[in-house]
């Protein structure tokens, strides 16, 4: 008998612009765009990278209101950020569209060079960027440092891929004709990202978009806007032209209307979203009205299967790496499982260090009617389900209506091929718990989304194919 664990996937009227001749940075003689509201924040954070205004058309812009960002570990207020609304969103789209008209004509080599400069600046500022992630998302510093390197690598990767956007010449029966296929940027891309990877979820999308010749408007999660704004500061330092990279932070209260504005604006040609399946469906509905291109990385419910032949020590290490890192906010799955007969082997309650911490929890005697067997769990909870045969394990894994990633451990070569091919997921980890890499395609099947990010395939999400028939030869 073996076990299967379920894992989680992983020119608007209200804009006040800085002087048009330069970008205003905080100093005694330049009060236009101060770093406001960040007193008494965590020590050691770089004031040069902590921006609180939106970034539109290469300028730092404020909004009529602000919203607070909190330290998830202590609940302390980190600062006040511009609460952009629909006017600011539409202004950002216009700025991106105006910039696209020229950015699309910039040579691939020059776009590559600018992305590389942005990458270099991320590496130079990696420690400060990591501290910002830790402050606003709560992940351990070591993990935040790992995210910054992962995040920067997407800019490096797509700086190289920018020069490899090739077309085709197709042979036709007619001697007097030639058939060509061109690849061209789709246009303005609206990018909506989550809190759990506040830097990497941006560069994975934006790197590909800019490399292809698109421009972007980023709406970061309301919990983690500082990372997106710090990237804007570095993009500006790297020489990314005004309007190519725009950021409009907003509160949870305004998120719905801002998302709808981005998805329905006729100047937006592409939507890229990472988040819940429920929200993804809403955005798809909005995008459908104008038939926009979409990329969606949605919810998952990753199976983690341990077969009889598995190296158990290796499987435990993989489960720890993939399950108990970057955990989130749901806790109700534990009480539901207990009420239906599950047993808490360890953990099961809030941690003594604070109300926002939960103990790593292992549940046994888990059945398929429990919420933890049906829904993605954002928390350090590992529910264990027993199975008797390979077929049963695969059936349990494939019963979900989502399919982002799946993991299994086995030393049987034939079984490895069978299960890897039969799992209904977009990514499979065989004897490995950490599978993300900039070189490899990231994405899911079923209700886990559409399209792929990263890899050589990621840039295709931001390109249109154009067939040209050249006759009269």
């Amino acid at each position: 008998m073996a076990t299967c664990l379920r894992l989680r996937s992983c020119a608007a009227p209200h804009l006040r612009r800085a002087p048009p001749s330069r970008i205003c940075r905080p100093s005694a003689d330049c009060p236009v765009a101060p770093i406001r509201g960040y007193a008494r924040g965590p020590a050691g954070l770089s004031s040069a990278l902590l921006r609180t205004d939106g970034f539109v058309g290469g300028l730092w812009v404020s909004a009529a209101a602000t919203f607070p960002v909190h330290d998830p570990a202590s609940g302390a207020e980190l600062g006040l950020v511009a609460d952009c609304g629909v006017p600011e969103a539409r202004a950002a789209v216009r700025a991106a569209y105006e910039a696209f008209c020229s950015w699309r004509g910039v040579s691939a080599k020059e776009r590559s060079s600018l992305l590389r400069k942005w990458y270099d600046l991320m590496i130079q500022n990696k420690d400060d960027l990591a501290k910002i992630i830790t402050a606003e998302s709560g992940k351990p510093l070591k993990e935040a440092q790992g995210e910054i390197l992962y995040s920067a690598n997407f800019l490096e990767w797509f700086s190289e891929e920018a020069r490899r956007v090739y077309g085709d010449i197709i042979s036709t029966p007619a001697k007097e004709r030639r058939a060509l296929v061109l690849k061209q940027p789709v246009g303005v891309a609206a990018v909506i990202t989550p809190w759990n990877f506040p830097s990497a979820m941006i560069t994975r999308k934006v790197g590909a978009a800019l490399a292809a010749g698109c421009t972007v408007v980023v709406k970061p999660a309301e919990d983690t806007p500082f990372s997106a704004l710090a990237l804007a500061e570095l993009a500006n330092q790297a020489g990314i032209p005004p309007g190519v990279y725009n950021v409009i932070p907003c509160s949870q209260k305004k998120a719905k209307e801002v998302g709808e504005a981005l998805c329905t604006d006729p100047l937006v040609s592409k939507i890229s979203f990472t988040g819940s399946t429920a929200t993804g469906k809403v955005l798809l509905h909005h995008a459908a009205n104008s038939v926009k291109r979409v990329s969606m990385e949605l919810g998952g419910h990753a199976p983690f299967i341990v077969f009889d032949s598995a190296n158990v020590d290796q499987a435990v290490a993989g489960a720890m790496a993939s399950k108990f890192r970057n955990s989130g906010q749901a806790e109700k799955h534990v009480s539901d499982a207990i009420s239906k007969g599950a047993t808490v082997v360890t953990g099961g309650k809030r941690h003594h260090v604070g109300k926002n911490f939960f103990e790593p929890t292992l549940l046994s005697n888990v059945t398929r009617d429990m919420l933890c067997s049906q829904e993605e769990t954002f928390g350090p909870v590992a529910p264990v389900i027993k199975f008797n045969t390979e077929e049963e394990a695969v059936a349990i894994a494939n019963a979900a209506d989502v399919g982002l990633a799946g993991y299994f451990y086995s030393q049987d070569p034939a079984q490895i091929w069978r299960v890897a091919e039969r799992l209904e997921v977009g990514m499979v980890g065989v004897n490995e718990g950490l599978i993300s890499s900039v070189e490899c395609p990231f994405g899911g099947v079923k209700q886990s989304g559409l399209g792929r990010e990263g890899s050589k395939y990621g840039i295709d999400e931001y390109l249109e194919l154009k067939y040209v028939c050249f006759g009269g030869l």
Side-chain angles (χ1 to χ4, degrees):
M1 184 169 289
T3 58
C4 176
L5 290 79
R6 279 291 187 183
L7 308 184
R8 64 174 169 79
S9 336
C10 75
H14 298 298
L15 295 182
R16 289 187 284 125
R17 295 179 177 267
S21 59
R22 60 193 178 104
I23 294 296
C24 183
R25 295 185 175 85
S27 65
D29 60 348
C30 185
V32 178
I35 303 302
R36 43 193 170 81
Y38 212 88
R40 300 187 181 276
L45 295 180
S46 170
S47 60
L49 294 179
L50 286 170
R51 309 300 309 208
T52 59
D53 289 321
F55 189 68
V56 176
L59 301 174
W60 296 103
V61 297
S62 59
T66 60
F67 68 97
V69 179
H70 295 95
D71 181 341
S74 66
E77 184 178 295
L78 297 176
L80 298 174
V81 176
D83 193 3
C84 298
V86 172
E88 290 84 0
R90 298 215 181 276
V93 170
R94 286 197 296 274
Y97 183 78
E98 291 169 3
F100 172 68
C101 295
S102 57
W103 179 249
R104 67 183 300 175
V106 172
S107 70
K109 183 177 181 180
E110 186 174 349
R111 292 199 300 269
S112 174
S113 177
L114 290 171
L115 284 170
R116 178 71 196 203
K117 289 178 182 177
W118 196 5
Y119 161 81
D120 290 338
L121 285 169
M122 284 197 70
I123 296 301
Q124 293 171 24
N125 292 273
K126 62 182 186 299
D127 292 335
D128 289 331
L129 291 170
K131 290 174 183 177
I132 291 173
I133 287 180
T134 293
E136 65 180 353
S137 81
K139 65 176 62 176
L141 184 59
K142 184 177 181 180
E143 198 167 306
Q145 290 169 339
E147 179 180 343
I148 289 301
L149 293 178
Y150 179 56
S151 175
N153 285 341
F154 281 110
L155 297 183
E156 180 186 43
W157 173 263
F158 285 113
S159 74
E160 297 163 349
E161 288 299 292
R163 303 183 69 178
R164 302 188 181 100
V165 178
Y166 305 139
D168 290 298
I169 297 178
I170 301 173
S171 177
T172 66
K175 294 181 179 180
E176 72 280 3
R177 297 177 186 172
R178 299 292 184 271
L180 296 80
V181 178
L182 309 180
K183 292 184 178 181
Q184 298 179 319
V186 298
V188 176
V191 172
I192 303 175
T193 58
W195 62 268
N196 55 342
F197 284 91
S199 182
M201 295 301 96
I202 292 176
T203 59
R204 192 162 75 184
K205 302 171 187 294
V206 171
L210 269 57
C214 298
T215 57
V216 299
V217 177
V218 177
K219 193 208 81 64
E222 62 273 7
D223 297 313
T224 56
F226 288 120
S227 290
L229 295 171
L231 288 175
E233 173 62 30
L234 295 180
N236 180 58
Q237 292 181 23
I240 302 294
V244 173
Y245 177 79
N246 306 274
V247 183
I248 47 167
C250 71
S251 63
Q252 185 176 22
K253 181 180 179 180
K254 291 185 179 179
K256 182 178 179 180
E257 63 185 41
V258 169
E260 182 176 350
L262 293 176
C263 291
T264 58
D265 196 301
L267 298 182
V268 172
S269 299
K270 163 82 179 186
I271 305 294
S272 181
F273 169 72
T274 295
S276 71
T277 298
T279 301
K281 290 178 179 179
V282 173
L283 297 182
L284 277 170
H285 175 78
H286 291 317
N289 289 329
S290 53
V291 196
K292 300 186 190 301
R293 289 274 297 273
V294 295
S295 296
M296 298 272 166
E297 183 214 328
L298 307 179
H301 199 201
F304 189 101
I305 307 169
V306 182
F307 289 106
D308 289 330
S309 66
N311 180 320
V312 176
D313 291 339
Q314 189 181 57
V316 170
M320 293 294 292
S322 59
K323 179 56 184 174
F324 294 112
R325 62 189 287 264
N326 204 36
S327 294
Q329 70 274 30
E331 294 160 351
K332 70 177 182 179
H333 284 187
V334 175
S335 58
D336 172 80
I338 294 173
S339 70
K340 295 176 181 176
T343 301
V344 178
V345 178
T346 186
K349 60 184 183 299
R350 292 182 185 271
H351 201 283
H352 65 83
V353 300
K355 66 178 184 178
N356 290 340
F357 293 82
F358 198 81
E359 296 176 339
T361 299
L362 180 66
L363 299 176
S364 64
N365 300 319
V366 172
T367 56
R368 295 170 67 178
D369 64 330
M370 298 175 183
L371 289 178
C372 60
S373 298
Q374 302 171 4
E375 300 177 352
E376 185 174 23
T377 302
F378 273 90
V381 181
V384 178
I385 302 175
K386 296 180 179 180
F387 64 89
N388 292 305
T389 65
E390 176 186 310
E391 290 71 21
E392 183 184 1
V394 172
I396 294 172
N398 289 343
D401 59 5
V402 291
L404 188 56
Y407 309 83
F408 69 92
Y409 282 71
S410 171
Q411 298 298 313
D412 181 340
Q415 183 178 61
I416 288 173
W417 278 110
R418 288 195 304 268
V419 176
E421 292 179 347
R422 291 173 60 198
L423 283 179
E424 296 172 357
V425 295
M427 301 172 287
V428 179
V430 182
N431 298 325
E432 180 57 61
L434 297 177
I435 61 175
S436 296
S437 172
V438 298
E439 297 85 0
C440 303
F442 191 102
V445 299
K446 298 196 282 191
Q447 293 191 37
S448 280
L450 302 166
R452 293 297 182 267
E453 295 183 327
S455 78
K456 69 176 183 179
Y457 305 104
I459 199 169
D460 290 340
E461 300 290 332
Y462 298 89
L463 294 168
E464 296 279 16
L465 295 181
K466 176 182 287 185
Y467 160 52
V468 178
C469 181
F470 192 174
L473 300 179

